[in-house]
Amino acid sequence: MDCDPGHDDALAMMLALASPEIDLLAVTSSAGNQTPEKTLNNAMRLLTLMHHQEIPVAGGNRTPLMKPLETAGNVHGKSGLDGADLPDPDFAVQDMTAIALIAKTLRASTDPVTLVVTGPMTNIALFLRVYPELKHKIDRIVFMGGAMGLGNWTPSVEFNIYVDPEAAKIVLNAGIPLTMAPLNVTHKAQILKPEIAAIGEIDNPVAHAFEGLLNFFEVYHENPKWGFKGAPLHDPCTIAWLLHPEMFKSELMNVDVETQGELVRGETVCDYYELTGKPKNTDVLLDVDRPAFIQLITDSLKTFD
Ligand code: BDR
Ligand code: CA
């Protein structure tokens, strides 16, 4: 898992850790929601909270490939995970870069490995450039990012792709099977205030921490301009799809990234009507069974001590 925690990244990690079907092999952090120091620290704080200090963690590239870093403190707070008192990390970070850890993990695995990406794609693009010989060990890349005709950072650009459009272009054109959770589906994956309150009723420290995190995250989305009833849980859609693809509706299509446009740099261009004849490289999630998705999150939180 390559992530920039981030409230919804935290939920994605929680879902993975709570699910025996998933063997979380390694966590790498990307610069995105907050600075690289903070997202790395947050990933380690989350693994400490959830008692999974055995999972190797490495910090990723400090900046996007071609742009200065822009962060999302307005959404995720000063720490990147405001709203809960998380424990300080009580284990050591791996003494290697994120791409070296991804390479080590792929080499060590006899089976192909799924990469789940819930932040900007800088690390994955660099990995593919530096270790092309390991590409065949990647089974699929499941990522949250982009949109079909929507934006949440500019009118037509989603945050993760906005931060590093060149990296996203490299990854989407790598010839690896892709599953994309765009805003079209994640904006349907909203958690409502009473559902957050119900999480607060679960009697364990992990659920209590997530109640605080979700209450903080929800406030940003109360602005009526979004037209939301709750907070969109973007990143956990990736893990939820791996666990329960039947919860989602998807369409296979070609997706590419615009890296030049004056108004649309970072837009994911989704060829819904097959106008280009280019290979259908991406399974694009378009709808979710929201009650089942929220139930999965709630049930997962109950599994912690
Ligand atoms: C994405 O941007 C980040 O703020 C979230 O963590 C999510 O990955 C949503 O656009
Ligand atoms: Ca994220």
Side-chain angles (χ1 to χ4, degrees):
M1 178 177 183
D2 185 65
C3 56
D4 62 337
H7 295 72
D8 50 334
D9 303 79
L11 272 171
M13 186 189 286
M14 182 283 294
L15 272 188
L17 293 174
S19 307
E21 302 92 327
I22 290 183
D23 187 7
L24 184 53
L25 297 174
V27 172
T28 52
S29 59
S30 51
N33 283 328
Q34 263 300 352
T35 61
E37 295 78 14
K38 289 182 183 177
T39 57
L40 172 60
N41 189 49
N42 287 345
M44 297 179 70
R45 292 200 294 158
L46 289 166
L47 289 169
T48 303
L49 170 76
M50 293 186 270
H51 302 298
H52 276 286
Q53 295 93 332
E54 82 285 2
I55 295 177
V57 180
N61 213 51
R62 302 188 52 77
T63 59
L65 298 183
M66 310 277 285
K67 293 172 71 179
L69 175 63
E70 282 183 51
T71 57
N74 55 333
V75 186
H76 298 275
K78 209 171 164 195
S79 70
L81 275 182
D82 281 14
D85 274 333
L86 300 176
D88 285 333
D90 62 1
F91 65 108
V93 67
Q94 297 288 305
D95 188 17
M96 63 179 82
T97 61
I99 63 169
L101 178 57
I102 297 172
K104 186 178 173 192
T105 307
L106 294 190
R107 282 199 185 106
S109 174
T110 46
D111 296 323
V113 173
T114 301
L115 301 187
V116 173
V117 186
T118 60
M121 293 186 172
T122 317
N123 294 333
I124 309 304
L126 283 172
F127 171 79
L128 292 170
R129 283 287 198 259
V130 175
Y131 298 97
E133 72 281 9
L134 291 175
K135 192 175 100 172
H136 72 282
K137 300 291 292 272
I138 303 172
D139 185 45
R140 173 172 289 271
I141 297 177
V142 184
F143 70 97
M144 188 284 138
M148 193 164 69
L150 290 173
N152 65 354
W153 210 251
T154 76
S156 59
V157 182
E158 180 279 331
F159 177 76
N160 287 342
I161 312 294
Y162 175 89
V163 171
D164 200 337
E166 285 75 19
K169 193 168 185 76
I170 290 170
V171 174
L172 267 68
N173 286 286
I176 298 167
L178 300 163
T179 298
M180 165 171 163
L183 295 178
N184 308 73
V185 72
T186 69
H187 281 183
K188 293 175 184 161
Q190 292 178 29
I191 188 162
L192 312 182
K193 269 187 170 180
E195 293 162 345
I196 299 174
I199 286 172
E201 298 297 313
I202 302 170
D203 189 19
N204 71 58
V206 174
H208 289 166
F210 274 95
E211 181 204 11
L213 291 172
L214 283 165
N215 277 326
F216 181 92
F217 188 59
E218 197 273 338
V219 172
Y220 172 80
H221 300 97
E222 279 179 13
N223 188 323
K225 73 181 176 188
W226 299 113
F228 292 156
K229 293 196 175 93
L233 301 183
H234 307 282
D235 294 339
C237 288
T238 56
I239 304 284
W241 177 78
L242 281 168
L243 291 167
H244 291 287
E246 76 284 357
M247 274 185 199
F248 293 86
K249 283 196 183 119
S250 67
E251 295 274 352
L252 201 57
M253 67 187 86
N254 182 270
V255 182
D256 205 340
V257 181
E258 173 59 59
T259 54
Q260 301 293 324
E262 177 198 344
L263 300 175
V264 293
R265 183 176 179 200
E267 179 173 324
T268 46
V269 179
C270 301
D271 190 3
Y272 187 81
Y273 290 118
E274 299 181 42
L275 300 173
T276 62
K278 288 185 187 166
K280 296 182 178 188
N281 59 346
T282 311
D283 197 18
V284 181
L285 307 185
L286 292 173
D287 205 355
V288 60
D289 178 347
R290 195 198 77 85
F293 172 74
I294 297 298
Q295 192 66 51
L296 173 67
I297 286 178
T298 308
D299 289 346
S300 301
L301 283 165
K302 288 180 184 159
T303 66
F304 291 89
D305 295 328

